């Protein structure tokens, strides 16, 4: 199972609304800036701890921005 962003564009809009750049998100969430970029490009999925820190910084619930791919074959494609 992998943690994935529901909507990359909506995530980027959320960053803008919070007044954060990718670099600032990385600094505040204590993760590498390149890691944030890989999450946004969907080439890497965050671990549970990283996802939790991102949610805390952005003041959102996990299910607001992430979904777990691979829970079941039915849910793999569902991003809503």
């Amino acid at each position: 199972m992998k943690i994935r962003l529901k909507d990359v564009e909506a995530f980027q809009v959320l960053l803008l609304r919070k007044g954060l750049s990718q670099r600032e998100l990385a600094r505040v969430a204590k993760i590498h800036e390149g890691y944030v970029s890989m999450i946004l490009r969907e080439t890497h999925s965050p671990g549970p701890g990283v996802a939790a820190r991102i949610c805390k910084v952005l003041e959102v619930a996990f299910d607001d921005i992430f979904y777990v791919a691979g829970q079941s074959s039915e849910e793999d494609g569902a991003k809503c």
Side-chain angles (χ1 to χ4, degrees), residues 18-32:
K18 293 290 182 178
L20 296 170
S21 66
Q22 288 181 35
R23 177 176 288 161
E24 291 164 331
L25 172 64
R27 182 183 54 79
V28 176
K30 297 185 171 128
I31 55 179
H32 192 275

Side-chain angles (χ1 to χ4, degrees), residues 29-31 35-36 39 45-56 66:
K30 297 185 171 128
I31 55 179
Y35 193 40
V36 173
I39 292 168
S45 58
V50 169
R53 290 197 308 268
I54 290 171
C55 290
K56 184 176 180 178
F66 294 113

Side-chain angles (χ1 to χ4, degrees), residues 4-43:
R4 299 285 188 196
L5 283 173
K6 285 185 174 181
D7 184 330
V8 173
E9 188 174 324
F11 183 83
Q12 291 172 324
V13 169
L14 180 60
L15 284 178
L16 290 173
R17 287 185 176 159
K18 293 290 182 178
L20 296 170
S21 66
Q22 288 181 35
R23 177 176 288 161
E24 291 164 331
L25 172 64
R27 182 183 54 79
V28 176
K30 297 185 171 128
I31 55 179
H32 192 275
E33 184 180 338
Y35 193 40
V36 173
S37 179
M38 289 187 291
I39 292 168
L40 287 168
R41 288 186 318 226
E42 300 182 311
T43 59

